[in-house]
Amino acid sequence: MDKEQEDCPLPVCISDAVISPCLFGLFRPCILVNRAVREEPKLYQYVLKHELTHYRRKDHIWTFLRIIICAAYWWHPFVWLGASCAGEDAELACDAEVIRGLSPEGRKAYGYSLLQLLQHAQNGGSRMCVATSMSGSRKSLRKRVEEIADGTITKKRVLFPVCVLLTVIMLCGCSMPSEKNWIKAENQGELLSAAAGQKAEYEYVFQDDIRSRLFYYEVYESGELKERRILSFGNIEERKGTFGLTLQQLSGEDLQGEGYYAILDPGGMIKLPLPQISFPLHSGFLLGEGKKREIQSGDDLILMADYLSEGEALSSYTCESLEGLAEEERGEALKENDAAILIHMAVSDRTEAELAEIYERTEYTEMQAGQDTAADAEKFVNAWADAFAGRNGEAIWKMTSAEARMQMENELLIQDEDSYFGWSSPWPMSPDNNYRTLGVDGQKAEILYYAWASDPHMWVWRETLELTRQGETYQVTGEELKMLNRISSGEEFYMAYPKGEITGTPMDYQANGFGEALNQHAVEHRGEAGAYDKLFDAGQAACFLLNIADSDGGTLTDESEGAAISVENRGDTAAVQITFPLDESTVEVVMIQPYGQDGIWIPQTEGFIRKAI
């Protein structure tokens, strides 16, 4: 077991019996590598990225399913062909995700890592192996390296084998029936006889094409709509289940506004106060009582229609018949009753925010306005940042709209509700001081994350969130993550280090504890090729530790990005000026040597207070 790789979410097992790196296991997957791969740091990191991509894509599960199909249809050559092509496509898809965003040099380095594995490749590989192997046949590896070099990885060739596999399954009678959306109402006792505590129960099944629902009620008096109010809305979490509707706290047959309806939703009880009408309840209907009602996105269902009258008139309008009428027509139909109460549930493929906006009314808007406080927004943003830094993908998924999820998918942060969130390293791993919130209000928030790797080295990411109020909380409707890993302008510098402040922030290598470990590594490896030697020069250390793009201790290395560096020695400190050609701006950073004259330089803010060592 490799215990040094603390930033890898899966266990890594080292064994000389492993021919090629792979992801192994169905319920408790782990990454298997041989000792030769572990001793090559660059190759090892690419192997982990590749196998973690398999894990996020759930390829270990698909590999297991392919084996079951091959075992069941061992006699069919097209099944074996499909399994072979699907396995190669999985490797191409992983290659595509790993090299996405890499420079040509990065793609070349990754391709070289595949070539290093070529010596272990087996011709064709085994299709009955329950592991996702990074290697493969020499022919397939050659094809992958060529596509990586050209940046033209494609998944088109999987179409044929997948179609073949589906055809075989359908011919063998293994097709899965498609479920529909439906709801069914059952009257549990004398609900509509004004007896307190009686209940109607609604059983439902919602497929993925219905994403949110909203409860509201309408009150008609002598055919005129007097009141319409939203009760509750939200994204659909449970795809099947039940909810109830009851009458509570009634006094005999006299309503008199003393009672209320209660919708017992999985999210809790929703109270609907009865209107101030002192007529006895005469008749009522449930939605298609005792029958399954098929529904689809966009339906506005009347779950219950209660009619109140001072006379003997009884309404004959069912919930279904009222649904088919426009508001004016519905009012005309209900004129025969002194009062009618209609309880609705709307379902939609829209987000809960979009659905609520369609049905929103003044009463609801005013109610929410009083709850919209800065404290609520800050609490939500802190919860978001905690979930982000803690890799809580399930929480992030629930806090975002579909549009924001798409943006996060493009950033390779998340794929679905159950997928692994983020990547292995760098990441905001420290339990304390791993983020700072900036400028939080009810519509927008800025968060600085401090990501680090085991070097140790710190990076700054800046996330912008667009917020929308949702009931008593918020939802992220837009998200953008800017990784300030190669700062090439004064604007980016101040995005990463607001007001130029270093001292006391998580980027303070003396305060965060990383400086001492970094100094020890640098002293031990001084004179060796690598980044550590830069830390003994004030200018180069400033650029390296503050992630300045393409600079080399005073030499302008790239006219488009590279920064010009000048250093002024001030005894036990040094002032480093960094000039960015992109926006012709100059920033100044103070460098100190807290670990002695033979130690490394670390950045501080002008006017810092030296801490005791």
Side-chain angles (χ1 to χ4, degrees):
M1 183 74 69
D2 185 6
K3 296 183 179 180
E4 296 180 5
Q5 194 66 27
E6 296 179 353
D7 54 354
C8 181
L10 297 179
V12 180
C13 298
I14 311 296
S15 173
D16 290 331
V18 178
I19 297 177
S20 177
C22 61
L23 175 65
F24 179 82
L26 184 60
F27 300 105
R28 295 181 178 178
C30 64
I31 299 174
L32 305 180
V33 299
N34 56 40
R35 200 170 304 279
V37 171
R38 181 63 183 90
E39 293 174 353
E40 293 286 341
K42 196 69 175 179
L43 175 60
Y44 184 53
Q45 290 300 317
Y46 278 127
V47 165
L48 292 185
K49 288 182 180 180
H50 184 94
E51 299 305 331
L52 285 175
T53 302
H54 274 305
Y55 177 69
R56 290 195 299 269
R57 293 169 49 83
K58 298 182 174 59
D59 284 342
H60 56 301
I61 299 175
W62 293 114
T63 299
F64 182 78
L65 294 177
R66 287 200 303 269
I67 292 172
I68 293 177
I69 294 174
C70 287
Y73 303 100
W74 57 268
W75 46 269
H76 205 305
F78 284 128
V79 172
W80 290 93
L81 174 62
S84 175
C85 292
E88 290 185 17
D89 182 74
E91 296 302 321
L92 285 171
C94 282
D95 290 341
E97 288 198 23
V98 171
I99 69 171
R100 187 179 300 169
L102 291 181
S103 63
E105 290 76 16
R107 293 200 302 269
K108 185 183 297 182
Y110 180 71
Y112 179 72
S113 70
L114 292 181
L115 293 177
Q116 286 181 273
L117 297 173
L118 187 60
Q119 55 184 318
H120 305 296
Q122 297 185 29
N123 289 330
S126 173
R127 294 304 163 201
M128 298 302 287
C129 177
V130 291
T132 63
S133 173
M134 189 175 176
S135 185
S137 68
R138 296 175 182 270
K139 181 178 179 181
S140 67
L141 278 175
R142 178 180 176 182
K143 177 66 175 176
R144 288 165 63 188
V145 172
E146 289 175 351
E147 294 191 3
I148 289 170
D150 295 336
T152 56
I153 291 179
T154 179
K155 294 189 284 185
K156 290 183 180 178
R157 58 179 177 173
V158 79
L159 183 60
F160 173 71
V162 166
C163 290
V164 171
L165 286 174
L166 291 176
T167 301
V168 169
I169 292 174
M170 287 189 292
L171 289 175
C172 294
C174 297
S175 60
M176 298 293 291
S178 60
E179 293 191 55
K180 296 180 179 180
N181 303 297
W182 56 267
I183 189 170
K184 179 182 177 182
E186 291 286 354
N187 194 357
Q188 309 294 318
E190 298 296 326
L191 169 71
L192 304 179
S193 67
Q198 298 303 316
K199 177 181 178 182
E201 189 170 84
Y202 298 82
E203 184 181 359
Y204 65 88
V205 169
F206 294 136
Q207 305 303 321
D208 289 340
D209 58 332
I210 292 182
R211 298 167 56 192
S212 60
R213 66 179 170 185
L214 176 145
F215 293 107
Y216 72 100
Y217 74 89
E218 294 177 319
V219 177
Y220 285 84
E221 292 184 27
S222 301
E224 183 180 354
L225 180 61
K226 291 294 186 179
E227 185 179 7
R228 177 187 286 134
R229 180 172 295 183
I230 294 176
L231 302 174
S232 173
F233 64 92
N235 286 333
I236 292 175
E237 304 296 341
E238 301 295 332
R239 290 290 163 185
K240 59 176 62 178
T242 61
F243 64 89
L245 181 61
T246 67
L247 288 173
Q248 300 287 344
Q249 297 179 359
L250 301 182
S251 175
E253 293 188 351
D254 192 0
L255 301 181
Q256 296 184 354
E258 297 178 1
Y260 60 85
Y261 293 110
I263 298 176
L264 305 176
D265 193 48
M269 179 182 289
I270 306 166
K271 293 183 179 180
L272 187 167
L274 290 175
Q276 298 291 323
I277 302 173
S278 58
F279 304 145
L281 183 67
H282 269 254
S283 62
F285 292 89
L286 299 182
L287 172 68
E289 184 175 354
K291 300 178 182 178
K292 281 187 178 181
R293 162 79 180 271
E294 287 190 11
I295 59 178
Q296 59 186 358
S297 174
D299 280 353
D300 188 327
L301 310 173
I302 299 179
L303 301 180
M304 189 182 75
D306 268 3
Y307 304 114
L308 301 94
S309 176
E310 198 171 21
E312 298 296 325
L314 296 177
S315 176
S316 60
Y317 285 95
T318 64
C319 297
E320 291 85 347
S321 62
L322 290 174
E323 285 175 9
L325 302 178
E327 183 177 305
E328 185 176 339
E329 295 174 321
R330 188 179 299 167
E332 191 67 29
L334 295 175
K335 274 187 177 180
E336 62 189 79
N337 301 104
D338 294 292
I341 301 176
L342 309 180
I343 300 179
H344 293 248
M345 181 179 71
V347 295
S348 175
D349 60 355
R350 300 170 181 265
T351 65
E352 54 182 317
E354 294 169 332
L355 181 59
E357 185 176 356
I358 294 173
Y359 286 89
E360 200 165 53
R361 291 297 184 267
T362 304
E363 307 96 296
Y364 181 76
T365 305
E366 291 174 352
M367 178 180 67
Q368 297 302 324
Q371 302 172 353
D372 192 3
T373 65
D376 290 338
E378 186 171 357
K379 181 179 178 181
F380 176 84
V381 171
N382 284 332
W384 170 277
D386 285 335
F388 187 104
R391 302 177 187 275
N392 190 342
E394 181 179 357
I396 292 291
W397 187 270
K398 292 179 179 178
M399 298 167 81
T400 52
S401 67
E403 294 77 6
R405 291 171 193 159
M406 185 176 300
Q407 290 172 316
M408 299 185 77
E409 288 174 8
N410 292 336
E411 294 166 354
L412 302 182
L413 286 170
I414 196 168
Q415 291 181 329
D416 54 58
E417 186 174 5
D418 300 320
S419 69
Y420 178 77
F421 182 72
W423 47 82
S424 59
S425 178
W427 196 259
M429 302 293 287
S430 171
D432 300 313
N433 295 326
N434 52 8
Y435 70 85
R436 294 168 60 195
T437 57
L438 309 171
V440 179
D441 60 31
Q443 297 181 326
K444 186 178 180 182
E446 300 276 349
I447 306 173
L448 288 180
Y449 295 102
Y450 297 90
W452 64 282
S454 56
D455 297 356
H457 188 90
M458 297 285 291
W459 287 268
V460 183
W461 304 338
R462 187 160 182 147
E463 184 179 43
T464 302
L465 303 178
E466 295 177 11
L467 307 176
T468 300
R469 184 80 189 194
Q470 296 295 310
E472 297 182 358
T473 184
Y474 286 85
Q475 183 182 58
V476 173
T477 54
E479 188 274 347
E480 181 183 7
L481 184 66
K482 186 174 182 62
M483 297 184 181
L484 300 166
N485 298 345
R486 290 171 51 84
I487 296 173
S488 57
S489 67
E491 179 184 4
E492 290 184 341
F493 182 89
Y494 288 110
M495 286 182 67
Y497 317 113
K499 300 180 181 179
E501 293 178 352
I502 304 295
T503 305
T505 73
M507 279 301 294
D508 184 345
Y509 276 80
Q510 189 176 13
N512 63 26
F514 291 168
E516 188 173 350
L518 196 58
N519 181 70
Q520 181 180 348
H521 294 168
V523 171
E524 290 176 355
H525 298 281
R526 190 165 189 170
E528 299 178 10
Y532 287 130
D533 275 356
K534 295 181 179 180
L535 302 179
F536 297 102
D537 177 273
Q540 294 188 51
C543 294
F544 178 73
L545 295 178
L546 296 177
N547 307 303
I548 307 301
D550 295 332
S551 55
D552 189 15
T555 302
L556 189 63
T557 60
D558 186 326
E559 292 183 358
S560 63
E561 279 193 333
I565 310 300
S566 64
V567 180
E568 177 188 348
N569 291 317
R570 297 177 179 175
D572 60 346
T573 66
V576 177
Q577 285 194 341
I578 306 170
T579 301
F580 299 102
L582 279 181
D583 58 5
E584 299 181 348
S585 62
T586 299
V587 299
E588 184 171 297
V589 178
V590 174
M591 302 295 291
I592 64 172
Q593 282 184 298
Y595 311 107
Q597 293 183 351
D598 295 328
I600 65 173
W601 293 85
I602 63 173
Q604 293 284 282
T605 306
E606 184 75 63
F608 69 95
I609 300 176
R610 181 184 290 277
K611 298 183 180 180
I613 300 173

mmCIF file of all heavy atoms in Angstrom, residues 119-148:
data_model
loop_
_atom_site.group_PDB
_atom_site.id
_atom_site.type_symbol
_atom_site.label_atom_id
_atom_site.label_comp_id
_atom_site.label_asym_id
_atom_site.label_seq_id
_atom_site.Cartn_x
_atom_site.Cartn_y
_atom_site.Cartn_z
ATOM 1 N N GLN A 119 6.525 -1.513 -23.031
ATOM 2 C CA GLN A 119 7.300 -2.728 -22.788
ATOM 3 C C GLN A 119 6.480 -3.764 -22.029
ATOM 4 O O GLN A 119 6.780 -4.937 -22.028
ATOM 5 C CB GLN A 119 8.559 -2.390 -22.000
ATOM 6 C CG GLN A 119 8.273 -1.658 -20.695
ATOM 7 C CD GLN A 119 9.528 -1.242 -19.982
ATOM 8 O OE1 GLN A 119 10.489 -1.997 -19.912
ATOM 9 N NE2 GLN A 119 9.535 -0.024 -19.477
ATOM 10 N N HIS A 120 5.406 -3.275 -21.337
ATOM 11 C CA HIS A 120 4.573 -4.206 -20.573
ATOM 12 C C HIS A 120 3.320 -4.628 -21.337
ATOM 13 O O HIS A 120 2.526 -5.403 -20.820
ATOM 14 C CB HIS A 120 4.143 -3.559 -19.256
ATOM 15 C CG HIS A 120 5.295 -3.075 -18.432
ATOM 16 N ND1 HIS A 120 6.230 -3.929 -17.924
ATOM 17 C CD2 HIS A 120 5.660 -1.816 -18.055
ATOM 18 C CE1 HIS A 120 7.135 -3.239 -17.231
ATOM 19 N NE2 HIS A 120 6.796 -1.944 -17.306
ATOM 20 N N ALA A 121 3.085 -4.059 -22.513
ATOM 21 C CA ALA A 121 1.833 -4.305 -23.236
ATOM 22 C C ALA A 121 1.736 -5.748 -23.699
ATOM 23 O O ALA A 121 2.711 -6.370 -24.087
ATOM 24 C CB ALA A 121 1.727 -3.370 -24.435
ATOM 25 N N GLN A 122 0.546 -6.300 -23.685
ATOM 26 C CA GLN A 122 0.285 -7.625 -24.214
ATOM 27 C C GLN A 122 -0.532 -7.481 -25.488
ATOM 28 O O GLN A 122 -1.399 -6.636 -25.574
ATOM 29 C CB GLN A 122 -0.524 -8.452 -23.214
ATOM 30 C CG GLN A 122 0.202 -8.702 -21.893
ATOM 31 C CD GLN A 122 -0.599 -9.612 -21.009
ATOM 32 O OE1 GLN A 122 -1.356 -10.437 -21.493
ATOM 33 N NE2 GLN A 122 -0.423 -9.480 -19.721
ATOM 34 N N ASN A 123 -0.256 -8.320 -26.457
ATOM 35 C CA ASN A 123 -0.982 -8.229 -27.732
ATOM 36 C C ASN A 123 -2.441 -8.571 -27.502
ATOM 37 O O ASN A 123 -2.784 -9.696 -27.184
ATOM 38 C CB ASN A 123 -0.378 -9.192 -28.764
ATOM 39 C CG ASN A 123 0.987 -8.728 -29.227
ATOM 40 O OD1 ASN A 123 1.250 -7.529 -29.258
ATOM 41 N ND2 ASN A 123 1.860 -9.672 -29.559
ATOM 42 N N GLY A 124 -3.295 -7.552 -27.650
ATOM 43 C CA GLY A 124 -4.725 -7.763 -27.534
ATOM 44 C C GLY A 124 -5.259 -7.649 -26.154
ATOM 45 O O GLY A 124 -6.329 -7.156 -25.925
ATOM 46 N N GLY A 125 -4.518 -8.061 -25.136
ATOM 47 C CA GLY A 125 -5.010 -7.983 -23.761
ATOM 48 C C GLY A 125 -6.096 -9.013 -23.522
ATOM 49 O O GLY A 125 -6.535 -9.729 -24.403
ATOM 50 N N SER A 126 -6.534 -9.120 -22.308
ATOM 51 C CA SER A 126 -7.575 -10.057 -21.938
ATOM 52 C C SER A 126 -8.891 -9.338 -21.758
ATOM 53 O O SER A 126 -8.978 -8.408 -20.967
ATOM 54 C CB SER A 126 -7.203 -10.789 -20.640
ATOM 55 O OG SER A 126 -8.273 -11.579 -20.204
ATOM 56 N N ARG A 127 -9.929 -9.744 -22.484
ATOM 57 C CA ARG A 127 -11.232 -9.108 -22.346
ATOM 58 C C ARG A 127 -11.997 -9.641 -21.142
ATOM 59 O O ARG A 127 -13.076 -9.160 -20.841
ATOM 60 C CB ARG A 127 -12.062 -9.337 -23.627
ATOM 61 C CG ARG A 127 -11.486 -8.642 -24.836
ATOM 62 C CD ARG A 127 -11.332 -7.173 -24.593
ATOM 63 N NE ARG A 127 -10.442 -6.553 -25.564
ATOM 64 C CZ ARG A 127 -9.827 -5.407 -25.385
ATOM 65 N NH1 ARG A 127 -9.965 -4.762 -24.260
ATOM 66 N NH2 ARG A 127 -9.031 -4.910 -26.323
ATOM 67 N N MET A 128 -11.475 -10.681 -20.461
ATOM 68 C CA MET A 128 -12.152 -11.226 -19.295
ATOM 69 C C MET A 128 -11.481 -10.770 -18.008
ATOM 70 O O MET A 128 -11.715 -11.318 -16.944
ATOM 71 C CB MET A 128 -12.171 -12.764 -19.356
ATOM 72 C CG MET A 128 -12.932 -13.302 -20.542
ATOM 73 S SD MET A 128 -14.655 -12.752 -20.572
ATOM 74 C CE MET A 128 -15.315 -13.725 -19.243
ATOM 75 N N CYS A 129 -10.666 -9.741 -18.081
ATOM 76 C CA CYS A 129 -10.012 -9.186 -16.896
ATOM 77 C C CYS A 129 -10.921 -8.124 -16.280
ATOM 78 O O CYS A 129 -11.413 -7.246 -16.979
ATOM 79 C CB CYS A 129 -8.666 -8.564 -17.264
ATOM 80 S SG CYS A 129 -7.831 -7.789 -15.861
ATOM 81 N N VAL A 130 -11.142 -8.226 -14.951
ATOM 82 C CA VAL A 130 -12.051 -7.292 -14.290
ATOM 83 C C VAL A 130 -11.327 -6.034 -13.837
ATOM 84 O O VAL A 130 -11.577 -5.499 -12.781
ATOM 85 C CB VAL A 130 -12.737 -7.961 -13.082
ATOM 86 C CG1 VAL A 130 -13.696 -9.006 -13.541
ATOM 87 C CG2 VAL A 130 -11.693 -8.545 -12.121
ATOM 88 N N ALA A 131 -10.413 -5.533 -14.632
ATOM 89 C CA ALA A 131 -9.674 -4.316 -14.301
ATOM 90 C C ALA A 131 -9.569 -3.455 -15.542
ATOM 91 O O ALA A 131 -9.580 -3.951 -16.672
ATOM 92 C CB ALA A 131 -8.277 -4.657 -13.776
ATOM 93 N N THR A 132 -9.492 -2.122 -15.342
ATOM 94 C CA THR A 132 -9.261 -1.189 -16.443
ATOM 95 C C THR A 132 -7.765 -0.936 -16.535
ATOM 96 O O THR A 132 -7.188 -0.325 -15.640
ATOM 97 C CB THR A 132 -9.996 0.131 -16.207
ATOM 98 O OG1 THR A 132 -9.465 0.751 -15.042
ATOM 99 C CG2 THR A 132 -11.473 -0.113 -16.007
ATOM 100 N N SER A 133 -7.146 -1.440 -17.557
ATOM 101 C CA SER A 133 -5.694 -1.326 -17.676
ATOM 102 C C SER A 133 -5.309 -0.134 -18.525
ATOM 103 O O SER A 133 -5.927 0.136 -19.559
ATOM 104 C CB SER A 133 -5.129 -2.605 -18.311
ATOM 105 O OG SER A 133 -3.749 -2.455 -18.593
ATOM 106 N N MET A 134 -4.268 0.610 -18.085
ATOM 107 C CA MET A 134 -3.798 1.772 -18.836
ATOM 108 C C MET A 134 -3.067 1.329 -20.094
ATOM 109 O O MET A 134 -2.914 2.078 -21.038
ATOM 110 C CB MET A 134 -2.877 2.616 -17.950
ATOM 111 C CG MET A 134 -2.503 3.957 -18.561
ATOM 112 S SD MET A 134 -1.566 4.946 -17.417
ATOM 113 C CE MET A 134 -1.191 6.360 -18.457
ATOM 114 N N SER A 135 -2.588 0.070 -20.092
ATOM 115 C CA SER A 135 -1.868 -0.437 -21.255
ATOM 116 C C SER A 135 -2.840 -1.041 -22.242
ATOM 117 O O SER A 135 -4.043 -0.831 -22.173
ATOM 118 C CB SER A 135 -0.821 -1.463 -20.793
ATOM 119 O OG SER A 135 -0.035 -1.895 -21.872
ATOM 120 N N GLY A 136 -2.349 -1.848 -23.150
ATOM 121 C CA GLY A 136 -3.170 -2.465 -24.165
ATOM 122 C C GLY A 136 -2.265 -3.105 -25.201
ATOM 123 O O GLY A 136 -1.069 -3.310 -24.966
ATOM 124 N N SER A 137 -2.795 -3.407 -26.379
ATOM 125 C CA SER A 137 -1.949 -3.962 -27.423
ATOM 126 C C SER A 137 -1.014 -2.889 -27.958
ATOM 127 O O SER A 137 -1.259 -1.697 -27.817
ATOM 128 C CB SER A 137 -2.833 -4.515 -28.551
ATOM 129 O OG SER A 137 -3.481 -3.445 -29.201
ATOM 130 N N ARG A 138 0.076 -3.315 -28.557
ATOM 131 C CA ARG A 138 1.033 -2.361 -29.127
ATOM 132 C C ARG A 138 0.370 -1.517 -30.217
ATOM 133 O O ARG A 138 0.633 -0.321 -30.347
ATOM 134 C CB ARG A 138 2.254 -3.105 -29.681
ATOM 135 C CG ARG A 138 3.051 -3.835 -28.599
ATOM 136 C CD ARG A 138 4.190 -4.660 -29.193
ATOM 137 N NE ARG A 138 4.893 -5.381 -28.138
ATOM 138 C CZ ARG A 138 5.934 -4.889 -27.466
ATOM 139 N NH1 ARG A 138 6.365 -3.677 -27.766
ATOM 140 N NH2 ARG A 138 6.516 -5.567 -26.529
ATOM 141 N N LYS A 139 -0.521 -2.148 -30.988
ATOM 142 C CA LYS A 139 -1.203 -1.415 -32.055
ATOM 143 C C LYS A 139 -2.097 -0.325 -31.482
ATOM 144 O O LYS A 139 -2.113 0.814 -31.957
ATOM 145 C CB LYS A 139 -2.031 -2.388 -32.888
ATOM 146 C CG LYS A 139 -2.760 -1.726 -34.055
ATOM 147 C CD LYS A 139 -3.528 -2.758 -34.862
ATOM 148 C CE LYS A 139 -4.277 -2.097 -36.016
ATOM 149 N NZ LYS A 139 -5.043 -3.086 -36.803
ATOM 150 N N SER A 140 -2.875 -0.675 -30.397
ATOM 151 C CA SER A 140 -3.776 0.324 -29.817
ATOM 152 C C SER A 140 -3.002 1.444 -29.142
ATOM 153 O O SER A 140 -3.386 2.613 -29.208
ATOM 154 C CB SER A 140 -4.726 -0.345 -28.817
ATOM 155 O OG SER A 140 -4.024 -0.818 -27.695
ATOM 156 N N LEU A 141 -1.874 1.105 -28.473
ATOM 157 C CA LEU A 141 -1.055 2.139 -27.849
ATOM 158 C C LEU A 141 -0.471 3.085 -28.885
ATOM 159 O O LEU A 141 -0.404 4.301 -28.685
ATOM 160 C CB LEU A 141 0.068 1.501 -27.033
ATOM 161 C CG LEU A 141 -0.307 1.030 -25.624
ATOM 162 C CD1 LEU A 141 0.856 0.321 -24.979
ATOM 163 C CD2 LEU A 141 -0.746 2.203 -24.778
ATOM 164 N N ARG A 142 -0.055 2.529 -30.006
ATOM 165 C CA ARG A 142 0.487 3.386 -31.069
ATOM 166 C C ARG A 142 -0.585 4.349 -31.576
ATOM 167 O O ARG A 142 -0.328 5.543 -31.773
ATOM 168 C CB ARG A 142 0.986 2.511 -32.217
ATOM 169 C CG ARG A 142 1.523 3.314 -33.401
ATOM 170 C CD ARG A 142 2.008 2.388 -34.497
ATOM 171 N NE ARG A 142 2.441 3.156 -35.658
ATOM 172 C CZ ARG A 142 2.887 2.597 -36.792
ATOM 173 N NH1 ARG A 142 2.975 1.281 -36.892
ATOM 174 N NH2 ARG A 142 3.246 3.357 -37.797
ATOM 175 N N LYS A 143 -1.827 3.838 -31.758
ATOM 176 C CA LYS A 143 -2.920 4.681 -32.218
ATOM 177 C C LYS A 143 -3.203 5.788 -31.208
ATOM 178 O O LYS A 143 -3.421 6.955 -31.569
ATOM 179 C CB LYS A 143 -4.167 3.807 -32.416
ATOM 180 C CG LYS A 143 -5.415 4.587 -32.839
ATOM 181 C CD LYS A 143 -5.253 5.180 -34.217
ATOM 182 C CE LYS A 143 -6.543 5.842 -34.677
ATOM 183 N NZ LYS A 143 -6.382 6.493 -35.971
ATOM 184 N N ARG A 144 -3.198 5.442 -29.912
ATOM 185 C CA ARG A 144 -3.469 6.440 -28.885
ATOM 186 C C ARG A 144 -2.419 7.527 -28.854
ATOM 187 O O ARG A 144 -2.733 8.711 -28.717
ATOM 188 C CB ARG A 144 -3.565 5.744 -27.518
ATOM 189 C CG ARG A 144 -4.826 4.926 -27.334
ATOM 190 C CD ARG A 144 -4.719 3.988 -26.167
ATOM 191 N NE ARG A 144 -4.548 4.709 -24.909
ATOM 192 C CZ ARG A 144 -4.267 4.094 -23.755
ATOM 193 N NH1 ARG A 144 -4.126 2.782 -23.714
ATOM 194 N NH2 ARG A 144 -4.145 4.816 -22.659
ATOM 195 N N VAL A 145 -1.158 7.142 -28.956
ATOM 196 C CA VAL A 145 -0.072 8.132 -28.935
ATOM 197 C C VAL A 145 -0.176 9.066 -30.133
ATOM 198 O O VAL A 145 0.005 10.284 -30.019
ATOM 199 C CB VAL A 145 1.304 7.427 -28.906
ATOM 200 C CG1 VAL A 145 2.432 8.450 -29.092
ATOM 201 C CG2 VAL A 145 1.493 6.688 -27.598
ATOM 202 N N GLU A 146 -0.520 8.519 -31.314
ATOM 203 C CA GLU A 146 -0.662 9.366 -32.508
ATOM 204 C C GLU A 146 -1.801 10.370 -32.326
ATOM 205 O O GLU A 146 -1.664 11.549 -32.671
ATOM 206 C CB GLU A 146 -0.937 8.482 -33.732
ATOM 207 C CG GLU A 146 0.262 7.661 -34.166
ATOM 208 C CD GLU A 146 -0.077 6.713 -35.308
ATOM 209 O OE1 GLU A 146 -1.281 6.587 -35.637
ATOM 210 O OE2 GLU A 146 0.838 6.114 -35.874
ATOM 211 N N GLU A 147 -2.942 9.933 -31.764
ATOM 212 C CA GLU A 147 -4.064 10.850 -31.587
ATOM 213 C C GLU A 147 -3.782 11.876 -30.509
ATOM 214 O O GLU A 147 -4.224 13.012 -30.591
ATOM 215 C CB GLU A 147 -5.328 10.057 -31.262
ATOM 216 C CG GLU A 147 -5.781 9.187 -32.409
ATOM 217 C CD GLU A 147 -7.168 8.604 -32.192
ATOM 218 O OE1 GLU A 147 -7.787 8.917 -31.189
ATOM 219 O OE2 GLU A 147 -7.613 7.847 -33.046
ATOM 220 N N ILE A 148 -3.034 11.475 -29.471
ATOM 221 C CA ILE A 148 -2.654 12.447 -28.436
ATOM 222 C C ILE A 148 -1.765 13.518 -29.022
ATOM 223 O O ILE A 148 -1.922 14.711 -28.769
ATOM 224 C CB ILE A 148 -1.947 11.727 -27.269
ATOM 225 C CG1 ILE A 148 -2.963 10.903 -26.479
ATOM 226 C CG2 ILE A 148 -1.259 12.730 -26.337
ATOM 227 C CD1 ILE A 148 -2.334 9.979 -25.476
#
